[in-house]
Structures are given as C-alpha cells and as structure tokens.
Amino acid sequence: MGVGAAKRIKKVVLELGGSDPFIVMPSADLDAAVATAVEARVINNGQSCIAAKRFIVAEQIAAEFERKFVARMEALRVGDPFDDKTELGPLATADAVTSLDADVQKSVQAGAKLLTGGHPLKRPGNYYARGSDRCSQDSPAYGEEFFGPVASIFRVKDQDEAIRIANDVRFGLGASAWTNDDQERERFINELESGMVSLTRWWRPTRGFHSEA
C-alpha cells in the first residue's frame, strides 16, 4: 500500500495493529503493575492499538495479580464519555461490540475462563462489560487483537516462556515488562521483539510514559 502511494505521490495513513504484551514477573511491585495494567487495558475504552492486551504473568504471583486486576476492573465507573467521572465509556460502533463479543465467546469455547464481564451491557449505547479471562495458548486471544475492554491473562512458569509468548504473534507495536531483577531486565531489553519496549512503566499515548512505581 505504501509503495503504491509513493509512486503516485499520495498521502497515506497506515495503522499498526497491536496485541501488546504486558509481562509481570515475581519481583515486580505488584500493586503498581496492576494499577498501570488496568489503565493500559482500558485506554480509549480498550480501542487503542498501543493498549496492553495480553497480560503474561508468572505463575507464582498470577492468582494475586488476577484478584487485584479483576477488583480494579470491576470498580471502574462505566458511563457517559462526556461525564468527567466516567472511567470507561462505549465502543465506537455496534459492530465493534458484536465483533468483540464473538471473539470472547470463541475464547471461552476454546477453554478460556471468564474472571469477570465478557458480555454486552444492556443499556443505551455500545457498551461492553469490562472483563478479563484466563487463557491458554489454544485460545483465539493468544494471537488476535481484542479491540475493547477485555484483558487476556496467560500464566507462565518462567521468563523463557514469557518472552516466547510475547513474541509469538504477528503484531509487534509495543511491550511492557515489570521486574526489579537486573538480569531479567537485560533479557527483556534484548529479546522482546517490539517497536517499543518499556520496563516497569507503560507508554500512555496522550502523555508519554506512565508508571505508578
């Protein structure tokens, strides 16, 4: 597409897809990671290419991460996007809701466990219940981009598996890794295949890097 535009001296805008990994290792500040994870998932109601979508969490801390993540997701105030108190608004179109719900249901059928939400809301507007699911590598969520307020959580046994899953998709826009281990940091810097890699922080599209740490 870009080459064709160049030949004709045409302006063109290309959008990069993202199924961005958000990796959390045992040494991380878990509260800071969870707080940023929720924001990173629901930025623009989950409809941002750079939003974190796949949460890859070490088994040792996965249960606690899920508990805290779900609690913060459920506490989000859903409402009118023009209301300053609203933390999660509607999706752009009715088709977006239908498409997202179809992806969620396919994941559930493939064995994903819904931890919260995962269905359209019965209210005026294109609202979808903020949700999260625990997924296996057989789930459609493993390699597809879920464009809405649904988080896919993958449990991994070690850093090797975390890096493999993070890189094992056709997308590569952004990645975030949370660890206070210097050796793990070095490996993430060198081995994550992504256009942007941030450590113990996340790239907020409107205001640059953001971290609660």
Side-chain angles (χ1 to χ4, degrees), residues 105-126:
Q105 301 315 316
K106 287 177 185 176
S107 290
V108 171
Q109 291 167 13
K113 179 183 178 181
L114 278 175
L115 302 177
T116 187
H119 57 83
L121 290 177
K122 294 181 179 179
R123 57 181 296 167
N126 304 314

Side-chain angles (χ1 to χ4, degrees), residues 41-98:
R41 177 70 287 255
V42 301
I43 187 77
N44 195 29
N45 307 323
Q47 301 170 110
S48 172
C49 290
I50 198 63
K53 298 181 177 74
R54 294 179 297 136
F55 296 84
I56 302 169
V57 186
E59 288 178 348
Q60 300 98 305
I61 57 170
E64 188 177 5
F65 176 89
E66 289 176 357
R67 178 179 62 79
K68 291 184 174 184
F69 185 88
V70 168
R72 289 187 76 102
M73 287 284 279
E74 291 179 340
L76 292 173
R77 185 189 295 269
V78 179
D80 185 339
F82 293 103
D83 184 340
D84 290 340
K85 295 180 180 179
T86 294
E87 296 172 294
L88 186 66
L91 299 188
T93 66
D95 286 345
V97 174
T98 300

Side-chain angles (χ1 to χ4, degrees), residues 133-179:
D133 52 17
R134 184 188 306 144
C135 299
S136 71
Q137 296 176 37
D138 297 323
S139 169
Y142 180 77
E144 295 300 321
E145 181 182 21
F146 280 22
F147 221 57
V150 176
S152 300
I153 300 173
F154 299 87
R155 295 186 175 192
V156 294
K157 63 180 182 297
D158 54 28
Q159 188 179 23
D160 287 337
E161 188 176 15
I163 291 172
R164 181 181 63 77
I165 290 177
N167 291 342
D168 193 24
V169 293
R170 59 195 175 93
F171 303 106
L173 188 55
S176 178
W178 292 70
T179 176

